Amino acid sequence: MTKTRTNTIMEKGAILRIDLTSLEEGMRFDAPVFFEGANLFLAPGLPVRIRDIRKLKALGVTTVYTCGNLVHEKPPQERLTRHTLLSLLSLQQRETLCLKEYVALLERSRRLFLLFDRKGPVEKKEVDNIVHRIYHLTKDYPKEMVKLIHGIDASTREAAGNALHTTIISVVMGLQKRMLSHEVLSLAAAAFLHDVGMLEIPPLVRDKKEKLSDRERDLIETHPARSAALIRQLGFPLRTAQIVLAHHERWDGKGYPRGVTGDHIPELAHMIAVADAYAALINERPYRRHLLGHDALKTVLRGIGGQFNPETVKLLLQSIGVYPLGSLVLLSNQTIGRVVETREETALRPTVEIIVDRHGQRLSPPATINLVEDRELYIV
């Protein structure tokens, strides 16, 4: 440190007191830095910023303290190798590619579902082309696609958006389960068309925000059978239609249209039911705002043993993580981050990209923290 420290205790494990005038922009410490008691000034590994020093001066603070030490080595961001730079560039390119493909797929899906809605001619070939593209894109870029559907401002009120998101989640689950490619494609086709029968329900009923009457509820509950019939008309196999017919059956037997229970429900129907519920929760509906990924997962978890097969919910957790990629999270130091990397063995401590500091200011560029390595921080 180029300036003189005052009131400093240098012994390892002791408190390091630092005069505010000794702080310099870019300094980093290997433990949290506090001011005036337990007020957090700086998280471990994050650089000191001039504007933060100015704010402390405006508050009349003269000293900060830490139980750690100054980190003398340059941070990883300043030691980028050519390989790292190429990796970052590749990541950006993949995310850009996925976004472009997503927009194109959503537009194609909208045109297709408009034909269903208007009872126009629908070709099975176009459905197959869309489903195959969703499958291959999600297979090649599963993390990017999961991140995309959590970060995009979308609404599953429209049939096309719901179909696209449910299919992406279903494919990720199928890949996690290590299903054969033809099985995942069958799952994807069923997921994409599972709610197409809703387009035969009058809009005043299917889009109603208020509580449905018994008659309206009965009408809504005909949509799985309508979807299955449309699928057969298009020329899809009977098995695909049977999966769609059962996607509103419940594990406890209280579903519809047949009220079957547990293992009597096709496994792929269980998967679509969970994927559909999760897709609906992370996007807006006419009667509520969307939920963050972790909150949506907690809602799905509450359906275990009643609405959902426990093993299928576990598969969803394994597929997208406890804190799904792209989810926004609040950390214990009051910063806001976006989950950018998860590992199944450390699901509760993902890698987070800090995008908003504790003062509500957006960070540019964002700072990345691996919560496995930084044990001082946690998600609240």
Side-chain angles (χ1 to χ4, degrees), residues 216-246:
E216 290 169 336
R217 173 62 63 186
D218 290 342
L219 187 59
I220 288 289
E221 291 183 359
T222 66
H223 84 268
R226 294 172 185 266
S227 296
L230 285 168
I231 286 168
R232 290 294 286 153
Q233 290 172 18
L234 282 172
F236 281 91
L238 176 62
R239 179 170 178 263
T240 305
Q242 290 173 333
I243 293 166
V244 169
L245 181 65

Side-chain angles (χ1 to χ4, degrees), residues 251-287:
W251 185 251
D252 60 9
K254 297 179 181 179
Y256 61 88
R258 295 179 297 167
V260 293
T261 63
D263 292 331
H264 296 289
I265 304 168
E267 182 182 22
L268 300 192
H270 283 306
M271 294 171 67
I272 292 173
V274 169
D276 181 35
Y278 184 78
L281 288 165
I282 62 172
N283 289 278
E284 289 191 16
R285 283 294 173 96
Y287 44 84

Side-chain angles (χ1 to χ4, degrees), residues 6 19 55 67 87 89 94 125 140 168 186 200 221 234 237 274-275 297 299 355 378-379:
T6 61
D19 191 290
K55 287 176 182 177
C67 291
S87 296
L89 179 61
R94 291 200 303 270
K125 182 180 178 180
D140 292 339
I168 291 169
S186 294
E200 294 189 349
E221 291 183 359
L234 282 172
V274 169
L297 277 174
T299 301
I355 56 176
Y378 55 90
I379 294 172

